Amino acid sequence: MAKVLCVLYDDPVDGYPTSYARGEIPAIERYHNGQTTPTPEGIDFTPGELLGSVSGELGLRRFLEEGGHTFVVTSDKEGPDSVLDRELPDADVVISQPFWPAYMTAERIAKAPQLKLIVTAGIGSDHTDLKAAIEHGITVAEVTYSNSISVSEHVVMMILALVRNYIPSYQWVVKGGWNIADCVARSYDIEGMQVGTVAAGRIGSAVLRRLKPFEVGLHYTDRHRLPEETERELGVTFHPDVESMVAVCDVVTINAPLHPETEHLFDEALIGKMKRGAYIVNTARGKICDRDAIARALESGQLAGYAGDVWYPQPAPEDHPWRSMPHHGMTPHVSGSSLSAQARYAAGTREILECWFDGRPIREEYLIADGGRLAGAGAHAYSVDAAAGSSDKPAT
Ligand code: NDP
């Protein structure tokens, strides 16, 4: 029997919800590339419930306890006396979400001799030191595609919010004002603008597909080109490098993984090559942007706006400059944790655990590391040295 240690974000400040804004969520069976949504043998939750917080327990308690396993759920994850650190030494499985990551550093992995499986309920395993996980023969899995569309919708929302100056206009209403000139003095249409994505993987290409009807010029840069027919269908222009793309864009959205090539990619030099008054939306990883260079560019007017939901570290400290810099539209790390996404990644986590306990193979597309090497989706997206060097863990 296994001990499963699950790190989830806190419940709402007013307590775990007893009712919801909507009665149901749409049932999605397949993603754009044909991959099926998670197919566990069963679920013990109602899709649309809050599953990602401590009391939601990813809907796993009944399944795990009926299987005779021990299930520990906590939000307490930082510092040597945290519940995570205290429970880790005899844990077999660790589960967390990128929104509230259990940073599985080499030190933590060394302190968990029984650990065999690390699951990301969601996408992005850069909070796990993959090199250390591989050295210890630990399987790492995530629920690929479960929240890619959720993130792409957040990107489109943030682009519109920045360009149209939505948040300050909303604030005038809340303050009791009717200050039309104050609202519109920074408000534009995106129609006719040039919008580029750094990476056109699942999220980046979903952003392109969603933006096409806005009649903007679409651009992308990636390590691999999209199929010619996709480029034609989307009317998107490929750029061989990020410098040439940002030079022509009014809006840049970042949708690449964090690795040494992308860490601090958007520094003072690259931001200096962007059009004056450009916007950046980054929902990929906070460390892809140089924190202080972004704040300075907003203050100088080189950037007209910056939005995203990824920070470094997470949770962001109260004095993080991205909380107070001008013209930002930041949210906490929420884009991939809508109730719709939670239903999918909770079901995907259940599917991974069912396979693991039954000794059945985990879907290739969910695997990041397995059998002492990168595997499945991880073999494509990560490299072992990169994983160790750039993991998005907090400064110690
Ligand atoms: P995919 O793996 O589908 O796509 C990533 C793309 O980035 C691939 O096409 C990859 O190319 C490309 N790429 C890698 N390095 C570079 C580079 N240096 N320059 C340009 N392109 C590059 O990932 P997703 O679209 O699903 O997710 C992207 C990222 O978004 C994740 O890595 C994660 O960090 C973040 N994310 C954020 C979430 C949130 O809640 N905010 C939720 C989910 C993901 P290649 O094929 O050659 O490797």
Side-chain angles (χ1 to χ4, degrees):
M1 295 302 107
K3 172 171 169 182
V4 179
L5 177 54
C6 186
V7 177
L8 300 175
Y9 46 77
D10 287 311
D11 284 347
V13 287
D14 293 331
Y16 190 73
T18 50
S19 65
Y20 291 89
R22 295 178 51 77
E24 58 181 355
I25 58 170
I28 311 288
E29 285 174 6
R30 278 180 194 279
Y31 304 114
H32 188 77
N33 68 354
Q35 181 187 316
T36 55
T37 50
T39 49
E41 284 172 357
I43 53 168
D44 298 318
F45 59 84
T46 304
E49 289 175 348
L50 179 62
L51 301 166
S53 76
V54 169
S55 297
E57 301 185 318
L58 292 176
L60 292 171
R61 183 164 296 279
R62 192 166 140 200
F63 159 69
L64 287 172
E65 290 188 344
E66 281 180 358
H69 307 293
T70 306
F71 188 39
V72 178
V73 182
T74 182
S75 64
D76 184 15
K77 69 189 183 77
E78 302 304 343
D81 201 35
S82 65
V83 174
L84 167 61
D85 280 278
R86 278 189 271 130
E87 297 285 347
L88 199 53
D90 60 346
D92 299 274
V93 179
V94 169
I95 304 170
S96 76
Q97 305 160 101
F99 327 104
W100 192 258
Y103 290 107
M104 294 306 292
T105 58
E107 299 75 40
R108 278 192 168 139
I109 286 173
K111 285 185 198 149
Q114 298 209 49
L115 191 58
K116 297 169 202 72
L117 175 66
I118 298 175
V119 182
T120 301
I123 306 175
S125 295
D126 45 86
H127 56 275
T128 291
D129 187 317
L130 294 181
K131 187 163 187 269
I134 285 169
E135 279 166 10
H136 287 76
I138 295 168
T139 296
V140 181
E142 60 185 48
V143 191
T144 307
Y145 228 138
S146 57
N147 55 17
S148 309
I149 300 307
S150 323
V151 178
S152 70
E153 290 185 3
H154 205 82
V155 171
V156 174
M157 172 186 80
M158 285 183 150
I159 292 173
L160 290 169
L162 287 181
V163 175
R164 301 204 55 91
N165 208 34
Y166 168 65
I167 298 167
S169 307
Y170 169 80
Q171 283 164 342
W172 277 115
V173 170
V174 173
K175 281 189 276 189
W178 191 261
N179 300 49
I180 294 174
D182 291 280
C183 299
V184 300
R186 295 185 66 89
S187 173
Y188 300 88
D189 296 347
I190 67 163
E191 182 185 23
M193 285 191 174
Q194 304 302 311
V195 184
T197 173
V198 180
R202 281 176 291 264
I203 297 173
S205 58
V207 170
L208 292 171
R209 280 198 302 279
R210 277 154 185 73
L211 283 176
K212 188 174 179 234
F214 283 91
E215 297 180 34
V216 291
L218 292 174
H219 303 260
Y220 79 105
T221 182
D222 198 301
R223 298 197 296 202
H224 296 106
R225 274 187 88 147
L226 292 168
E228 222 178 298
E229 62 190 82
T230 310
E231 283 189 5
R232 213 172 318 115
E233 176 205 327
L234 294 171
V236 61
T237 305
F238 172 74
H239 296 260
D241 51 65
V242 68
E243 286 82 3
S244 61
M245 188 187 83
V246 301
V248 300
C249 286
D250 303 287
V251 180
V252 172
T253 154
I254 304 172
N255 299 295
L258 174 70
H259 54 67
E261 226 178 280
T262 55
E263 185 168 345
H264 293 153
L265 177 65
F266 280 78
D267 58 7
E268 192 129 12
L270 186 62
I271 296 168
K273 290 179 182 149
M274 298 178 74
K275 285 188 184 177
R276 188 182 171 281
Y279 305 85
I280 295 178
V281 170
N282 174 16
T283 53
R285 284 296 176 260
K287 265 184 161 184
I288 296 175
C289 292
D290 179 315
R291 187 190 69 173
D292 296 334
I294 294 289
R296 280 196 301 272
L298 288 167
E299 273 151 24
S300 73
Q302 173 60 15
L303 287 179
Y306 181 93
D309 71 327
V310 284
W311 305 68
Y312 176 76
Q314 294 191 172
E318 262 178 50
D319 62 352
H320 195 295
W322 289 4
R323 289 183 189 268
S324 54
M325 63 193 181
H327 314 306
H328 81 79
M330 295 298 297
T331 61
H333 194 166
V334 293
S335 66
S337 196
S338 59
L339 295 175
S340 323
Q342 288 174 44
R344 284 189 295 274
Y345 65 68
T349 304
R350 166 93 178 242
E351 180 186 329
I352 290 167
L353 292 174
E354 285 174 358
C355 292
W356 178 261
F357 290 130
D358 292 354
R360 285 183 282 123
I362 294 168
R363 288 194 207 197
E364 272 294 296
E365 64 253 34
Y366 290 170
L367 284 176
I368 301 300
D370 191 37
R373 57 181 178 81
L374 289 171
H380 182 81
Y382 293 95
S383 72
V384 173
D385 291 336
S390 74
S391 93
D392 201 0
K393 61 195 172 212
T396 47

